[in-house]
Amino acid sequence: MSHAHYDEILEKKGKMEGEPMYKVIVADDEPFMLEGWKTMIDWQGCGYELCGTATDGEEALELIGLVNPDLVVTDIQMPVLDGIGLIRTMREELRYDSQIVIVTGYSEFGYAQQAIRYRVNEYVLKPLVPEEIHALLRNLIIPLDTQRQEIEKGYAQEPYEATELLDTHLDEGDMIEEVDLEKMTSRAKQMLALIEAGDVTGIDHAVDEMMHEMKESRAAGGWNQSAIRYIHGELLRRYGLIGADQTLLQAQTWHHTESWHRGDLKQLFVRIAETFATASQTDTGSGGLVAEAVQYLKEHYRSKIKLQQLANHIHVNAAYLGQQFKREMGVSFSEYVHRLRIEEARRMLRRTNMKISDIALELGYHDAEYFTEKFKALTGELPSLYKTNNQG
């Protein structure tokens, strides 16, 4: 494997309750997301060992062969081999029985339907919320313990069938049809609309219906819990856009299913609807998160600026900002900064007699050779030739 991070394969001796920790690998092509998985998540505290990361599906497959992980966390959209292709290969060709968690953005959630038949355990919606990930990891300990005990006792596992569905803990009679994912997504979007509209009566009825379904069917309960995760993630994104106070989004109610039936979830939704409406009224109409980031970059591109610095300035998660920026602008944060700088360099080459090394320094490049490489990559010409052909 050329790029998978073998240096992250750990020799930890940690134990949880006397048992070896469960091995995990993470696959994601977004470096800021990978950094989040490594630094924001308390793997050891939840009983896991992060054994390595990969930046595409093929690297992940090689790492899986080396590590034989108990849990694979993968983004859906990756180059070379995407998350769905990775999961398909794991299940159908390699017959790996690892637990699988899919990481997806809001607009990508429809891809999740393709993964139902490959026995995916959970979905994680970006941006990463450490409290949610920790709760998810603790919940996965039960099936992992069960699987380990069966292996130790020598129980032969039934051959994997592609028709197996999402929740491996459902009764045989509780098979989930693919349409249920559509229903879950539709319900989540409906709830979000009610919250944004401040429709307390609508929220009241919708939550009652959801809780009734959860009591009647374990399958419905699973999908409704997924709907809550979807709503939580989307509200985090929208609150970030309008700069609202996110205190309510950190409430433990989001993770305590047993409290939902006591009315805690309904009360939480109503309070969020009220605060969301207030925040929306005071929105400055800045044109959105990415528009604000672009404006900041246009004013500061000459200085040495990092994504984390920009994220701190506009009060948003750096990994999420990087993802949204690339999605809306078509280029990464760093590439956009280079484009701003090179465009200014062209103007300076045309209109001034400054040395190329001085222009590079003026625009935040401390290495004139690197500046020359970026200039040629973006314009097709060397700075010296461009100056000769365009000055005056």
Side-chain angles (χ1 to χ4, degrees):
M1 176 172 27
S2 57
H3 298 293
H5 305 278
Y6 283 131
D7 57 323
E8 295 168 13
I9 298 175
L10 307 177
E11 297 287 341
K12 293 181 180 178
K13 297 181 179 180
K15 304 276 187 178
M16 171 159 282
E17 295 182 354
E19 295 293 331
M21 292 192 292
Y22 291 106
K23 295 180 292 184
V24 186
I25 71 162
V26 176
D28 197 311
D29 69 320
E30 175 58 57
F32 299 104
M33 284 294 293
L34 282 181
E35 186 64 22
W37 282 110
K38 289 187 285 187
T39 61
M40 295 167 61
I41 307 305
D42 182 10
W43 295 102
Q44 188 169 358
C46 293
Y48 297 81
E49 172 187 353
L50 180 58
C51 294
T53 61
T55 56
D56 63 53
E58 285 193 354
E59 288 184 1
L61 285 175
E62 294 185 45
L63 190 56
I64 288 168
L66 180 68
V67 172
N68 191 21
D70 302 290
L71 171 63
V72 174
V73 179
T74 178
D75 191 13
I76 282 188
Q77 291 191 337
M78 296 185 294
V80 186
L81 180 67
D82 66 13
I84 300 298
L86 169 63
I87 295 167
R88 181 186 300 115
T89 303
M90 285 177 59
R91 293 302 200 212
E92 292 189 339
E93 297 179 23
L94 302 179
R95 319 289 278 189
Y96 270 102
D97 203 45
S98 308
Q99 307 290 304
I100 295 176
V101 171
I102 278 183
V103 183
T104 175
Y106 309 99
S107 63
E108 303 163 4
F109 202 77
Y111 286 107
Q113 285 180 290
Q114 302 176 44
I116 291 176
R117 63 179 58 88
Y118 299 118
R119 217 175 20 160
V120 172
N121 297 81
E122 287 283 359
Y123 300 98
V124 172
L125 287 164
K126 302 175 185 178
L128 296 185
V129 180
E131 293 82 1
E132 286 189 351
I133 305 302
H134 293 153
L136 180 154
L137 292 174
R138 287 190 289 268
N139 288 338
L140 285 176
I141 288 291
I142 296 175
L144 283 167
D145 282 347
T146 301
Q147 190 173 39
R148 176 177 284 174
Q149 290 167 10
E150 290 179 350
I151 293 174
E152 290 175 351
K153 292 177 181 178
Y155 293 161
Q157 187 164 5
E158 294 296 323
Y160 167 72
E161 296 293 339
T163 54
E164 291 187 63
L165 300 179
L166 175 70
D167 192 341
T168 56
H169 308 295
L170 295 178
D171 295 331
E172 293 182 3
D174 263 337
M175 300 301 281
I176 305 174
E177 301 294 337
E178 290 195 21
V179 69
D180 286 332
L181 179 57
E182 297 176 4
K183 178 180 178 182
M184 181 279 287
T185 307
S186 175
R187 163 158 287 167
K189 290 179 177 178
Q190 176 193 28
M191 190 71 75
L192 285 165
L194 293 170
I195 291 172
E196 285 196 309
D199 187 347
V200 175
T201 302
I203 292 172
D204 186 85
H205 291 320
V207 174
D208 283 345
E209 182 180 355
M210 185 181 293
M211 294 303 101
H212 176 73
E213 287 182 354
M214 289 179 68
K215 287 182 179 180
E216 295 295 318
S217 168
R218 292 177 63 191
W223 288 116
N224 282 324
Q225 288 174 40
S226 296
I228 300 303
R229 287 195 296 273
Y230 184 105
I231 292 167
H232 193 190
E234 182 66 12
L235 285 172
L236 280 164
R237 183 184 73 87
R238 297 186 187 189
Y239 266 53
L241 288 174
I242 63 177
D245 180 10
Q246 298 191 11
T247 303
L248 289 173
L249 298 182
Q250 309 304 324
Q252 290 300 309
T253 303
W254 292 105
H255 317 299
H256 294 165
T257 309
E258 64 276 6
S259 73
W260 298 355
H261 295 280
R262 299 197 302 263
D264 293 1
L265 185 66
K266 184 186 297 184
Q267 183 182 26
L268 181 63
F269 281 176
V270 169
R271 291 177 63 195
I272 287 175
E274 293 170 349
T275 57
F276 194 88
T278 301
S280 297
Q281 291 170 5
T282 59
D283 186 11
T284 59
S286 62
L289 179 69
V290 173
E292 186 177 352
V294 167
Q295 182 60 39
Y296 185 85
L297 290 177
K298 287 181 177 179
E299 297 172 359
H300 299 86
Y301 67 87
R302 289 171 176 259
S303 60
K304 186 177 181 180
I305 183 172
K306 296 182 178 180
L307 180 62
Q308 185 63 59
Q309 176 187 346
L310 174 58
N312 291 342
H313 175 74
I314 57 180
H315 310 293
V316 69
N317 176 273
Y320 178 64
L321 175 60
Q323 179 198 38
Q324 290 298 101
F325 192 98
K326 187 173 183 179
R327 180 174 297 155
E328 293 190 28
M329 300 302 294
V331 295
S332 67
F333 156 83
S334 59
E335 185 65 15
Y336 185 77
V337 172
H338 285 307
R339 292 187 179 190
L340 289 175
R341 289 175 172 176
I342 298 307
E343 184 58 36
E344 177 63 11
R346 292 173 65 180
R347 187 195 68 79
M348 295 173 75
L349 288 167
R350 292 194 306 268
R351 300 182 183 181
T352 75
N353 290 317
M354 292 177 64
K355 295 179 181 179
I356 291 174
S357 58
D358 291 337
I359 290 176
L361 191 62
E362 178 75 15
L363 295 175
Y365 294 104
H366 297 289
D367 185 337
E369 184 177 343
Y370 179 61
F371 163 72
T372 298
E373 291 177 1
K374 294 304 297 185
F375 190 97
K376 185 176 181 181
L378 291 173
T379 67
E381 294 182 275
L382 291 171
S384 55
L385 182 60
Y386 179 86
K387 181 174 184 176
T388 301
N389 293 337
N390 293 276
Q391 195 168 46

